[in-house]
Amino acid sequence: MTPLLTTTDLCKAFGGLRAVDHVDFSVAPGEVRAVIGPNGAGKTTFVSLVCGRIAPTSGTIVFDGRDITAMPAHERVRAGIAYTFQITSVFPNLTAFDNVALPVQRTLADGRGSGRLRDGVMAALSRTGLAARAGTPAGALSYGHQRLLEVAMGLALKPRLLILDEPTQGLSDGEIDSFVGLVREIARDATVLLIEHNMPVVMALADRITVLDAGKVLAEGTPDEIRANAQVQAAYLGTEAA
């Protein structure tokens, strides 16, 4: 199967620090791929390169057969890449409905159609369990609900690749269980790239896991392979994946 996303020899240096160090990486269509690693491993820098928030020092990024290495972030969104931030980026003074309406408008060919707009917004809010909070200002939502709102904003773009950066941060145990079900549902229609510290979530969701350490790929494999990898145990997992 032709990969949906491929990076080749991808590097990002900040002065003398190489945050992403010659990373070769590929994700198949429909896959749920987790990227894990200790703090400072380069995970967020890597996905920031993929979505176009920062430019690589060297290397290439190919999405759906197209070289997007120099493509601006907004064009990558149009191409089908959506990214939720590690720190919430909702508009606190707008309602949950209006936050989601902004990306929905980008998916409407003519930019009009109030019925289609409302349907698109409510569908995204319903999938994330926020339909009852459509009229609530985003700033009045709990942190966990703000995280889910950002996922709804990403879903509203109807992406082919949805990148979720620490999505369960701030969620209650019940919300995490619902989130796991949501990602499984999303994966029916889209490819998911998940950056996550919650190992039970990673092990429950990921088809394959890539482990980064000091900007390099330390290991890659199925959840069972990663759980049993001695290098990964020493560098990161310890007892977390038990």
Side-chain angles (χ1 to χ4, degrees):
M1 182 181 295
T2 302
L4 178 65
L5 173 73
T6 303
T7 72
T8 304
D9 208 23
L10 192 64
C11 297
K12 180 60 181 181
F14 298 98
L17 172 66
R18 187 163 285 175
V20 173
D21 194 358
H22 299 284
V23 170
D24 294 331
F25 178 87
S26 66
V27 180
E31 183 178 2
V32 177
R33 172 68 64 86
V35 177
I36 66 172
N39 290 332
K43 304 180 298 294
T44 293
T45 301
F46 174 72
V47 295
S48 294
L49 292 169
V50 171
C51 72
R53 292 183 65 212
I54 59 176
T57 302
S58 60
T60 58
I61 305 168
V62 175
F63 180 70
D64 195 24
R66 181 182 180 187
D67 189 330
I68 63 168
T69 310
M71 181 183 287
H74 68 277
E75 291 187 14
R76 297 189 198 197
V77 171
R78 292 195 188 104
I81 298 175
Y83 175 63
T84 69
F85 295 88
Q86 186 175 14
I87 301 172
T88 55
S89 59
V90 299
F91 297 96
N93 295 325
L94 297 181
T95 64
F97 183 98
D98 288 340
N99 268 271
V100 178
L102 295 172
V104 169
Q105 285 176 328
R106 301 188 68 159
T107 69
L108 299 178
D110 56 9
R112 297 187 299 273
S114 59
R116 286 189 297 152
L117 177 65
R118 178 174 177 78
D119 289 348
V121 172
M122 293 310 298
L125 289 173
S126 294
R127 290 179 77 180
T128 52
L130 295 175
R133 295 174 171 83
T136 303
L141 295 173
S142 69
Y143 182 76
H145 285 153
Q146 288 183 31
R147 301 293 293 164
L148 292 172
L149 177 58
E150 194 175 32
V151 173
M153 293 165 70
L155 289 175
L157 291 166
K158 299 180 180 178
R160 297 188 62 195
L161 174 65
L162 179 62
I163 302 173
L164 302 171
D165 195 351
E166 301 289 356
T168 66
Q169 185 177 341
L171 300 186
S172 68
D173 289 345
E175 288 169 338
I176 288 174
D177 290 342
S178 296
F179 174 80
V180 169
L182 172 63
V183 173
R184 287 176 175 150
E185 179 195 336
I186 293 169
R188 297 174 190 165
D189 307 311
T191 302
V192 178
L193 181 55
L194 176 70
I195 315 300
E196 182 57 66
H197 278 298
N198 186 318
M199 285 300 103
V201 169
V202 169
M203 296 299 174
L205 283 175
D207 297 310
R208 291 179 64 80
I209 299 170
T210 298
V211 185
L212 293 182
D213 187 34
K216 296 178 179 288
V217 175
L218 176 66
E220 199 165 77
T222 65
D224 285 343
E225 289 168 342
I226 294 301
R227 189 184 280 113
N229 187 298
Q231 281 185 296
V232 177
Q233 290 283 346
Y236 179 55
L237 287 182
T239 61
E240 291 185 78

